Amino acid sequence: MKRAYLDNAATTPVRSEVIKVMINTLKYSFGNPSSMQHSYGRKTRSLIEESRISIAKNINASPSEIIFTSGGTEANNLILRSAVINLKIQCILTSPLEHYSVLKTVLDLSNKYSICVEFIKIKNKGIIDLNHLEQKLKINFKKKILVSLMYANNEIGNLLDLDQVGNLCKKYNAYFHSDTIQIIGNYPIDMHQNTVDFATASAHKFYGPKGIGFIFIKEKNLKKMKSLMTGGYQEYGIRPGTENIYGIVGLSKALNLAYSDLQKNLKKIQNLKSYCISELKKIQYDIIFNGLSNIPNKSIPTILNIFYPKKDHLLYFHLDLMGIAISKGSSCTSKQLKKISHVISSITNNEHFLKKMMPIRISFGIFNEKKDIDLLIDAFKKINKN
């Protein structure tokens, strides 16, 4: 049976070049990178530092600003918790559209440390209300503030005006953390040009291995950040524990490949997305696109989110049986089969409408082709007949 994998926002296939370099690392570089007394340890240490330099170069950062983690969830947790404990943050401004690794963490911090957490209003189509953000920055100006807003939403693909948010944070002397997990490796980013203090990445979103990611910490903030765990002094003392060497090497290779072909791949993916939009409109002329996912330059090319006009909780499984892999949204909420995600609920207030529709996230990758879209459209046509 022909199959089409269209859930790249959840995870991407690992590139063959990445697998090869990881296998070579597993075979020939087994030394502990903290064992600097002998060549085995020095060899693995050099692999880590070479990877750090390569990663930094791809996002225009300094190597010392890159701290390796086990992935995106740990990365977001580490930044948010460290900001409260080490930077003495008293107020966090965020949005109801963030990933659960941000939302649940800020609420936990609020309970444990009695910090204020305020949510920025969401305008039509899931647009962050930046006027409301400025109001909240003004009101809390005397407090130490952290703003946490994702660059590209992982469900509806909306792009944040990163520069405008960064300038507001600078104006009111607030720290700025952005979950850039859907961005890094899939979209241009320049850490020295923007005003982000902290950013996060996860390798499996850009054709690298699972279980490895990194934090970007702007150099001026490095000395203020301390480990939340006791142990060794790895990763500048911010994230102790023996490094995941083959994961780091795989991440570095994947990111290097991603940015070497970025413009070509972005054009290909945007064309696939545009084709998918036009074909969906043909079979469902009144189709509803969620957020700004159908608008170029307002959303990341990799994500398209729609409402399917039929309430069927087995819809995703029916599509899977037809060879189509899509999702209803974030993979972190996949066990809640009958529940609409917090992102879709936040941008759609009509409960009656929600009871009639099924949200679908279609996410494209570099290995997708036009034939994958055709398989998806054919599957929808068959479902519509039933």
Side-chain angles (χ1 to χ4, degrees):
M1 180 177 65
K2 294 179 180 179
R3 296 193 64 85
Y5 181 76
L6 293 165
D7 197 19
N8 290 276
T11 195
T12 53
V14 182
R15 295 177 74 146
S16 59
E17 303 97 322
V18 173
I19 294 170
K20 183 178 179 180
V21 76
M22 289 178 71
I23 289 172
N24 284 337
T25 305
L26 280 164
K27 280 184 177 180
Y28 305 116
S29 304
F30 62 85
N32 189 316
S34 295
S35 297
M36 299 295 287
Q37 302 83 2
H38 52 70
S39 60
Y40 295 94
R42 290 194 295 273
K43 180 181 179 182
T44 52
R45 171 52 56 192
S46 68
L47 286 175
I48 290 172
E49 298 314 320
E50 286 166 11
S51 296
R52 202 188 308 272
I53 291 167
S54 175
I55 291 162
K57 185 178 179 181
N58 276 306
I59 62 172
N60 195 22
S62 297
S64 61
E65 295 174 316
I66 306 300
I67 308 295
F68 294 113
T69 68
S70 65
T73 292
E74 184 196 356
N76 283 331
N77 265 265
L78 201 158
I79 288 171
L80 294 167
R81 294 181 187 279
S82 188
V84 171
I85 295 168
N86 296 319
L87 301 180
K88 308 302 179 186
I89 292 297
Q90 299 164 298
C91 182
I92 297 177
L93 305 180
T94 188
S95 88
L97 306 183
E98 304 303 304
H99 189 271
Y100 273 156
S101 62
V102 170
L103 289 179
K104 291 190 175 183
T105 303
V106 298
L107 293 176
D108 183 53
L109 289 167
S110 176
N111 292 330
K112 286 182 178 176
Y113 299 98
S114 299
I115 63 165
C116 77
V117 173
E118 299 204 43
F119 292 95
I120 308 306
K121 289 179 183 177
I122 305 301
K123 298 194 290 186
N124 187 37
K125 293 285 185 179
I127 299 170
I128 305 293
D129 189 337
L130 297 185
N131 289 328
H132 189 237
L133 171 61
E134 183 164 18
Q135 289 174 21
K136 290 298 180 182
L137 285 165
K138 278 182 182 178
I139 292 168
N140 294 286
F141 181 63
K142 293 184 179 180
K143 299 175 183 175
K144 284 194 174 182
I145 305 170
L146 174 72
V147 173
S148 182
L149 295 171
M150 58 173 34
Y151 191 172
N153 188 273
N154 61 312
E155 292 197 31
I156 56 176
N158 286 19
L159 285 168
L160 181 72
D161 190 331
L162 205 68
D163 290 336
Q164 194 171 348
V165 174
N167 289 333
L168 283 174
C169 290
K170 189 175 181 181
K171 179 179 177 181
Y172 293 97
N173 200 30
Y175 291 99
F176 181 22
H177 160 242
S178 186
D179 175 342
T180 52
I181 289 166
Q182 293 291 339
I183 286 285
I184 289 181
N186 293 304
Y187 202 74
I189 192 164
D190 187 323
M191 291 305 185
H192 280 177
Q193 285 296 316
N194 65 48
T195 53
V196 171
D197 291 291
F198 311 101
T200 49
S202 187
H204 76 104
K205 304 296 185 181
F206 49 87
Y207 314 96
K210 297 172 183 63
I212 184 71
F214 67 85
I215 298 169
F216 163 82
I217 301 176
K218 191 147 281 194
E219 196 167 13
K220 65 180 182 178
N221 301 314
L222 277 167
K223 290 183 179 179
K224 304 172 188 176
M225 304 294 278
K226 298 176 182 177
S227 174
L228 300 180
M229 300 186 291
T230 52
Y233 295 95
Q234 293 91 345
E235 295 306 298
Y236 304 101
I238 293 172
R239 204 274 190 175
T242 303
E243 293 94 340
N244 176 357
I245 304 155
Y246 49 90
I248 290 169
V249 169
L251 184 158
S252 174
K253 183 68 173 178
L255 194 65
N256 201 39
L257 290 167
Y259 281 116
S260 64
D261 291 327
L262 184 65
Q263 292 306 318
K264 181 182 78 173
N265 288 332
L266 275 176
K267 184 178 179 180
K268 174 187 176 180
I269 292 169
Q270 185 60 61
N271 286 340
L272 286 174
K273 184 177 182 178
S274 298
Y275 177 66
C276 187
I277 290 169
S278 65
E279 292 301 299
L280 284 168
K281 286 179 178 177
K282 289 176 185 176
I283 61 168
Q284 198 73 45
Y285 71 92
D286 58 347
I287 193 166
I288 296 170
F289 295 98
N290 289 317
L292 303 172
S293 66
N294 62 318
I295 304 175
N297 302 320
K298 295 291 184 180
S299 65
I300 194 167
T302 49
I303 295 176
L304 180 66
N305 198 300
I306 67 170
F307 265 132
Y308 180 75
K310 186 176 181 181
K311 199 66 174 180
D312 179 5
H313 294 296
L314 295 176
L315 173 66
Y316 315 108
F317 296 106
H318 291 323
L319 287 168
D320 186 41
L321 290 172
M322 291 184 236
I324 310 297
I326 50 87
S327 69
K328 67 171 184 175
S330 174
S331 53
C332 292
T333 60
S334 62
K335 290 184 179 179
Q336 299 169 310
L337 293 177
K338 294 186 179 182
K339 188 176 179 182
I340 298 291
S341 82
H342 66 283
V343 173
I344 298 300
S345 297
S346 295
I347 65 173
T348 310
N349 298 320
N350 190 326
E351 289 293 328
H352 180 70
F353 177 79
L354 287 173
K355 289 177 181 178
K356 293 182 175 181
M357 313 290 270
M358 295 293 288
I360 292 177
R361 182 183 68 180
I362 306 161
S363 47
F364 313 94
I366 62 172
F367 297 119
N368 287 128
E369 301 294 344
K370 188 178 175 182
K371 62 183 180 180
D372 297 323
I373 310 302
D374 293 335
L375 281 173
L376 173 69
I377 299 301
D378 286 343
F380 277 134
K381 287 178 179 177
K382 289 174 185 176
I383 291 171
N384 286 346
K385 288 179 181 179
N386 295 335

